[in-house]
Amino acid sequence: MPGLTAPSGYAEEPPRHPALRINSKEPFNAEPHRSALVSSYVTPVDFFYKRNHGPIPKVDDISRYSVSINGLVSNHMQLFMADIRMLPKYNVTATLQCAGNKRTAMSKVRKVRGVGWDVSALGNATWGGAKLADVLELAGIPKLSSVTSLGGKHVEFVSVDRCKEEKGGPYKASIPLKQATDPDADVLLAYEMNGETINRDHGYPLRVVVPGVIGARSVKWLDSINLIEEECQGFFMQKDYKMFPPTVDWDNIDWSTRRPQMDFPVQSAICTLEDVDVIKEGKARIAGYAVSGGGRGIERVDVSVDGGKTWVEAHRYQKSNVPYVSDRAQSDKWAWVLFEATLDIPANAEIVAKAVDSAANIQPEKVEDIWNLRGILNTSWHRIKIQNSLCAARSNM
């Protein structure tokens, strides 16, 4: 693409914060320490997880960069950044989450394939840009359309990013046209992140943000938008990011039997403690995040210090001094909810968190029940086993 290129190697990677936990260097995949997640409602760009499939594309000439709209649409177009910036700008606070978040816990049950994410392969940002519904309207597709006049039912996003899974071709994904043209779905072509120009790691100069959906559909470094009849046939739509039962392994898998994963299920994690922690006996603050897909809010977060025998409801919040109610206009429906509870921690405690969303969906208790060969969507109860300082001292005698 004129103005934006995908490097053949990793020599020109952007700088990253040294505190990130690196899960792979080439391509670069990293997450922050879990405690950094609950330090603020909006995740600082430096501590937003980095998920890549190849070298980071580089802008050679921003004035030449454009996005084309092609396929089953009567009005093919080429839009430059100036054209996109002329459209109404919207700010949407939304959590993006990799489908492989919490994969390491699933790998302890049985081996899985994929990047070894802890609990921090997600982040909450305020994205700024044009609504995709407004962009498609420029191409003659009315809002709330389910099909174009030429039979297009899906919107495919094609990246400049090149990856081995596509045999050197571009990363791509799609969403249904009815979602893309719905203004209330808040799908953006984003050029800002947390009030600043989006950086290279997160898709500069333009990326797609699909709120409430696994991060794999929010394509970075956008090259083109195609209106197609069937969903995208790319690798990451057809041969990855699908949910299979524990009985399926690499010898009997049939990718065609499952649809691509879109909405992410209800999820939560404790961020103020880890299994290796030793804490003093007495009260301790337990805090973390909870989030659900599809715009569903968080109705409740329960915390236990005895492995799930008894529970205490945690305090939920988003913005300072604004009470969180999941279905109220002042709450961010696409964003995570932070939670906290101060509890007495017994000796050798097993601390557990589980969340319930506004549709009464609840996290499954056991990771074994949702194990799958790709290690995605580990939404089981988050468990942490800790010792108090007295017990730890005795064990070292």
Side-chain angles (χ1 to χ4, degrees):
M1 165 191 282
L4 184 62
T5 57
S8 58
Y10 293 91
E12 299 182 84
E13 294 286 283
R16 281 97 177 200
H17 198 283
L20 291 175
R21 174 178 177 259
I22 299 173
N23 295 322
S24 71
K25 291 185 177 180
E26 296 182 359
F28 189 82
N29 291 287
E31 62 187 307
H33 189 278
R34 62 176 67 175
S35 62
L37 288 181
V38 290
S39 63
S40 61
Y41 172 58
V42 172
T43 309
V45 174
D46 282 348
F47 293 103
F48 205 97
Y49 78 106
K50 322 295 181 191
R51 177 69 176 111
N52 298 297
H53 295 90
I56 307 300
K58 186 177 182 182
V59 172
D60 301 313
D61 185 353
I62 190 63
S63 67
R64 298 173 62 209
Y65 169 78
S66 64
V67 174
S68 59
I69 301 178
N70 305 301
L72 298 174
V73 56
S74 55
N75 185 17
H76 290 199
M77 300 187 72
Q78 186 177 19
L79 297 174
F80 292 85
M81 284 302 299
D83 301 318
I84 294 168
R85 287 180 178 275
M86 286 181 65
L87 292 168
K89 178 191 170 188
Y90 293 87
N91 289 312
V92 175
T93 301
T95 299
L96 293 187
Q97 178 178 205
C98 178
N101 193 29
K102 294 168 65 176
R103 180 178 280 131
T104 52
M106 191 172 279
S107 68
K108 293 175 182 178
V109 175
R110 282 162 56 192
K111 185 178 179 180
V112 297
R113 291 185 188 176
V115 177
W117 298 108
D118 186 42
V119 304
S120 304
L122 82 171
N124 190 50
T126 298
W127 309 93
K131 286 197 177 183
L132 181 59
D134 291 339
V135 173
L136 294 177
E137 200 166 44
L138 293 177
I141 304 173
K143 290 184 173 66
L144 303 177
S145 295
S146 296
V147 59
T148 69
S149 59
L150 298 179
K153 297 179 182 178
H154 297 264
V155 180
E156 180 183 63
F157 310 114
V158 182
S159 176
V160 174
D161 185 22
R162 304 283 162 168
C163 46
K164 64 179 182 180
E165 293 87 351
E166 294 286 3
K167 299 179 179 178
Y171 185 98
K172 50 190 174 181
S174 68
I175 62 173
L177 180 64
K178 62 182 179 181
Q179 181 179 11
T181 58
D182 182 356
D184 290 337
D186 289 329
V187 182
L188 294 183
L189 298 191
Y191 46 79
E192 288 184 1
M193 182 179 182
N194 294 349
E196 299 180 352
T197 299
I198 202 165
N199 69 16
R200 283 180 62 200
D201 260 328
H202 296 290
Y204 178 79
L206 195 68
R207 70 169 297 163
V208 182
V209 173
V210 187
V213 169
I214 64 169
R217 313 308 176 210
S218 289
V219 175
K220 296 182 284 188
W221 312 294
L222 188 61
D223 179 27
S224 60
I225 298 171
N226 299 321
L227 280 299
I228 54 180
E229 184 176 1
E230 304 291 338
E231 63 195 13
C232 171
Q233 295 302 299
F235 179 90
F236 295 99
M237 288 287 289
Q238 299 304 325
K239 293 192 174 182
D240 204 354
Y241 299 124
K242 294 183 176 183
M243 189 67 171
F244 286 90
T247 53
V248 173
D249 58 32
W250 294 104
D251 294 325
N252 62 13
I253 190 169
D254 181 354
W255 291 100
S256 66
T257 61
R258 293 292 185 277
R259 297 186 61 81
Q261 184 67 35
M262 300 302 283
D263 287 8
F264 50 78
V266 62
Q267 171 76 288
S268 71
I270 298 163
C271 296
T272 48
L273 295 169
E274 298 193 41
D275 282 327
V276 297
D277 285 343
V278 176
I279 65 173
K280 293 181 180 179
E281 190 173 353
K283 291 187 179 295
R285 177 176 175 265
I286 300 167
Y289 65 79
V291 65
S292 192
R296 294 178 291 275
I298 298 299
E299 198 63 32
R300 197 176 80 238
V301 179
D302 299 324
V303 178
S304 172
V305 296
D306 55 14
K309 295 176 183 177
T310 60
W311 299 91
V312 172
E313 184 174 351
H315 169 65
R316 293 163 294 133
Y317 63 99
Q318 284 185 331
K319 293 162 281 191
S320 301
N321 303 316
V322 180
Y324 173 76
V325 180
S326 63
D327 60 351
R328 294 282 173 86
Q330 68 265 32
S331 299
D332 295 324
K333 69 177 182 177
W334 306 115
W336 66 13
V337 172
L338 301 181
F339 69 85
E340 62 180 2
T342 300
L343 301 175
D344 284 313
I345 308 298
N348 299 320
E350 183 180 27
I351 304 175
V352 187
K354 62 180 174 71
V356 182
D357 72 14
S358 57
N361 298 308
I362 191 166
Q363 293 176 250
E365 178 179 353
K366 298 178 181 178
V367 65
E368 292 86 351
D369 294 339
I370 55 172
W371 182 95
N372 59 90
L373 74 177
R374 273 291 279 119
I376 66 167
L377 305 183
N378 179 11
T379 58
S380 61
W381 295 1
H382 190 212
R383 300 174 179 270
I384 293 176
K385 294 180 180 180
I386 62 170
Q387 290 182 300
N388 64 34
S389 53
L390 180 59
C391 291
R394 286 175 177 169
S395 66
N396 291 326
M397 289 180 178

